[in-house]
Amino acid sequence: MANIRDVASRAGVSVSSVSNVLNGRTDQMRQETLVRIENAMLELNYHPNRAAQQLKTGHAKMIGLLVPSIVNPSFAALAREVDLAAKNNHGYRVLLGNTYREEDEEQAFLTDLMSHGVRGVIVVSSSIEKSHFSEAAENGLVMVNYDGSSVTDAESNQILYDSVSMDNRQAGRIAAQYLIDQGCREIAFVTETTRTISRCHKIEGFLALAAEKGMKTHARVIEGKATKAYGDTEMVELGNQLAATISELPLKPDGIVAINDVLAIGLIAGLRSKGIRVPEDISIVGIDNISLSGLITPALTSVAPPLADMATIMVERLISRLNSPHINAEEFLFTPTLVVRDSVIKRPG
Amino acid sequence: MANIRDVASRAGVSVSSVSNVLNGRTDQMRQETLVRIENAMLELNYHPNRAAQQLKTGHAKMIGLLVPSIVNPSFAALAREVDLAAKNNHGYRVLLGNTYREEDEEQAFLTDLMSHGVRGVIVVSSSIEKSHFSEAAENGLVMVNYDGSSVTDAESNQILYDSVSMDNRQAGRIAAQYLIDQGCREIAFVTETTRTISRCHKIEGFLALAAEKGMKTHARVIEGKATKAYGDTEMVELGNQLAATISELPLKPDGIVAINDVLAIGLIAGLRSKGIRVPEDISIVGIDNISLSGLITPALTSVAPPLADMATIMVERLISRLNSPHINAEEFLFTPTLVVRDSVIKRPG
């Protein structure tokens, strides 16, 4: 592979002239010399070694993406949007880490990012308030938390990391509103038991909207414990299991909001096996709008986060705060929209 | 962040002593000094800067993963297994590139890998024989081709890149054999029209097995053109569309092998909307065994590649060939297995 000396020799100039071009110091250079150096780079297929550049700037044109598992369709969709925003808007690439919601794995990934000269990371984790994140921040890693809580420094009362989320209360409200508008009179929010901030907000929004519509006593939360904390299929299994619970309720809901689409898919399959039809007997709305949701039968009506916009902001904030560490962290809330498909039926008022 | 001088000062030794520890030159060092330096590193939370190390070795402890789109569940599953094998077996991290089967995007990703000091990449592309890959190889990038053809140098007749695939002929055979064993008497292979090497092999295997079982005139290929070359939903749409074609055939198949699970999912939905039941009227076997296949109704019987084993070999070969460039490229074929679920029914002989 060509190096800076090969380029200098090809262009008939000194190594320091080539170095000047690489570092943008071309204002004192004759146009003809600049063109000769640029042509030599092209002819030799010369790529400036970013490892060397990085030694000076202290960081690589990469950002990290920490997710529980890329096999979860929500995080795969997030990864694609982050990759697009990083590459197209900033020329950055994405270093991926699957951490299975395990603190050891998160810690190891943060350490490796630092070692590789990566100084910014988008984090999907419910442990962002724990010490392995604050230590990484103290060591200079800039973080954006996706769909999590914001973390405030106890002394300064300053927000520590940017956080970018769908407005989860709004998501719960939109889903409840749609079920009620379509004539449901007994609604339920179905969820995994563990209460993350984003789950709490969805439930709050759902219950608040029901209360405003005079349906406080006809809106409830049905929950169950998943067998594992992360993964790809345990939410489907939980959906299946909760469908069995629902099928035995004396007063069944006629409309359900599921905490996410994967749980909704498990619910639909579980209800079907108990002879309960979706949407004829029970309407279902999911949250997340994964690509799969349009493909199942019935196609799932779902509340969608504006993922491309969220990815754009996350990457932009990371890179801004890398370049200007004095910028304060902020919270960004994005309004979701409802994607109407076939899992909700209009009932006679 | 602490640097090598901070560590030296904390440990009360020279910078070159710390450097000796970092480079494993500790055989001449007193045990007590070594312990003091290691403790200083721990206390200062010092991470040797890999950008600096990389300048010496010429490569970073990262491998690239080039996929059409991480949103495709097959590639998300691949990404997770590659990440696990790279990290757990070798301490490497994965730089991800989505390239949408576009040559410009592939080229840009290969160039960025080189610039970031990444010297090995796992490639999922049907263009591996094109010049942007051979140029990257000439510039020192080591490649493993996943599930593609092997590329041979015209002059030396040497294989240029490692290739790691499921035995696709065997996949076609296993699927056909199972349908016939379950009593199907009129079978079809349903596929997208574009003939990649791996698709051709699956079809060959399917037809060969049918011929061996005396069913040559009862085995056919049904195909259609997808609207886009990559993506997440176009295979489902194609499945829907081909289901309509199949519903109008005078002689319908009673067993179908779909070229991949996503197409199978589209077929099932399309057939259902035409009043044709799976598996009661038509049994279906998919190929790929994506995680979603166990979650739909009916759960899809599918031919599964041993993805974890394949990822292990791919990463191992990349790193071996990075360290020993004289190792010749090879082809690796992995035997698939059938995962039996609910989309095939036993028919009376």
Side-chain angles (χ1 to χ4, degrees), chain A residues 70-121:
Chain A
I70 196 71
V71 174
N72 180 317
S74 307
F75 303 143
L78 175 69
R80 189 170 66 177
E81 297 302 336
V82 166
D83 184 35
L84 279 172
K87 178 168 56 69
N88 294 347
N89 305 345
H90 305 276
Y92 273 57
R93 292 289 180 177
V94 174
L95 197 68
L96 176 71
N98 295 290
T99 55
Y100 311 101
R101 297 198 191 280
E102 289 177 16
E103 290 183 23
D104 285 358
E105 294 288 343
E106 293 178 344
Q107 164 93 67
F109 184 56
L110 297 174
T111 303
D112 281 2
L113 288 177
M114 302 289 283
S115 303
H116 284 307
V118 180
R119 290 290 174 270
V121 58

Side-chain angles (χ1 to χ4, degrees), chain B residues 143-174:
Chain B
M143 287 182 261
V144 175
N145 191 14
Y146 172 76
D147 201 36
S149 48
S150 66
V151 184
T152 307
D153 181 69
E155 288 172 30
S156 67
N157 218 21
Q158 274 276 324
I159 299 177
L160 288 176
Y161 321 121
D162 278 334
S163 83
V164 172
S165 302
M166 168 164 74
D167 184 336
N168 285 300
R169 285 193 187 84
Q170 193 62 24
R173 293 181 66 89
I174 288 171

Side-chain angles (χ1 to χ4, degrees), chain A residues 1-2 44-45 47-52 54-55 60-63 68-71 73 75-77 79-80 83-84 87-88 91-100 105 108-117 119 135 138-140 230-233 236 262 265-266 268-269 272 291-292 294-298, chain B residues 1-2 44-45 47-52 54-55 60-63 68-71 73 75-77 79-80 83-84 87-88 91-100 105 108-117 119 135 138-140 230-233 236 262 265-266 268-269 272 291-292 294-298:
Chain A
M1 213 169 26
L44 293 171
N45 196 17
H47 306 290
N49 186 337
R50 292 196 189 159
Q54 170 183 337
L55 272 186
K61 288 191 88 174
M62 287 185 272
I63 57 173
S69 167
I70 196 71
V71 174
F75 303 143
R80 189 170 66 177
D83 184 35
L84 279 172
K87 178 168 56 69
N88 294 347
Y92 273 57
R93 292 289 180 177
V94 174
L95 197 68
L96 176 71
N98 295 290
T99 55
Y100 311 101
E105 294 288 343
F109 184 56
L110 297 174
T111 303
D112 281 2
L113 288 177
M114 302 289 283
S115 303
H116 284 307
R119 290 290 174 270
E135 279 163 20
E138 279 164 27
N139 285 324
Y230 81 93
D232 322 311
T233 60
V236 182
V262 184
I265 291 167
I268 292 174
R272 184 181 285 147
S291 64
L292 162 59
L295 315 182
I296 59 164
T297 314
Chain B
M1 213 170 23
L44 294 170
N45 196 17
H47 307 290
N49 185 335
R50 290 195 190 161
Q54 171 183 336
L55 272 186
K61 288 191 89 175
M62 287 185 271
I63 57 173
S69 167
I70 196 71
V71 175
F75 303 143
R80 188 170 67 176
D83 184 34
L84 279 171
K87 177 169 57 71
N88 294 347
Y92 273 57
R93 292 290 180 178
V94 174
L95 197 68
L96 176 70
N98 295 289
T99 55
Y100 311 100
E105 294 288 344
F109 184 56
L110 297 174
T111 303
D112 281 3
L113 288 177
M114 302 290 284
S115 303
H116 283 307
R119 290 290 173 269
E135 279 163 20
E138 279 164 26
N139 285 324
Y230 82 93
D232 322 312
T233 60
V236 182
V262 184
I265 291 167
I268 292 174
R272 183 181 286 148
S291 65
L292 160 60
L295 316 181
I296 59 164
T297 315

Side-chain angles (χ1 to χ4, degrees), chain A residues 175-231:
Chain A
Q177 171 91 56
Y178 184 65
L179 287 178
I180 295 170
D181 287 350
Q182 297 300 305
C184 291
R185 290 296 167 255
E186 187 65 42
I187 61 177
F189 192 99
V190 178
T191 181
E192 211 275 335
T193 298
T194 315
R195 289 289 191 275
T196 63
I197 294 280
S198 72
R199 284 184 189 165
C200 288
H201 288 173
K202 284 168 187 143
I203 297 170
E204 279 172 34
F206 169 87
L207 293 174
L209 190 284
E212 289 166 24
K213 297 285 171 182
M215 287 181 57
K216 191 170 179 178
T217 58
H218 299 280
R220 61 189 135 160
V221 176
I222 298 172
E223 59 190 74
K225 184 101 200 86
T227 48
K228 284 180 294 181
Y230 81 93

